[in-house]
Amino acid sequence: MNAISINIIAIILAYYASLLLHEWGHGTLAWLNGIKSSPFDVEYGGWLLMNADENVDYNSLIASGLGLAAALIGVAGFTVSFIILIISLAVSKVCIK
């Protein structure tokens, strides 16, 4: 395999990993709050993962007075993505030296 093919495969795998970790971040916090039975109960949207969804009904959470839980679950995905960014930057900084 040439370097271009390896880079394309690495980018695709990184996309899948980051997207799954992002959705599992939402799911894990919903599971810890007793809203979901499993943190991995995610609607994956097929092989391309274009329509992945954490299966959390935020409107019903807010209507039932769990607005703070809904907000924390919503922010969990961003938090996981931000942690992935920080780790990626740290690893790339070490690799570039």
Side-chain angles (χ1 to χ4, degrees):
M1 283 185 122
N2 62 19
I4 293 174
S5 299
I6 292 172
N7 284 338
I8 290 172
I9 291 170
I11 289 169
I12 292 169
L13 291 176
Y15 165 73
Y16 276 92
S18 65
L19 188 111
L20 290 175
L21 289 171
H22 173 97
E23 294 301 332
W24 290 342
H26 292 296
T28 300
L29 205 58
W31 174 68
L32 289 173
N33 281 296
I35 296 163
K36 292 180 72 166
S37 60
S38 170
F40 305 112
D41 179 23
V42 173
E43 192 174 298
Y44 294 102
W47 284 102
L48 296 178
L49 299 179
M50 296 306 261
N51 297 318
D53 184 44
E54 68 271 9
N55 285 333
V56 175
D57 186 4
Y58 293 101
N59 291 330
S60 67
L61 288 175
I62 293 169
S64 64
L66 296 172
L68 179 61
L72 292 174
I73 293 166
V75 172
F78 168 77
T79 305
V80 170
S81 296
F82 186 73
I83 291 168
I84 292 170
L85 171 68
I86 298 301
I87 292 170
S88 299
L89 290 174
V91 168
S92 67
K93 187 175 182 180
V94 169
C95 292
I96 291 175
K97 283 186 176 182

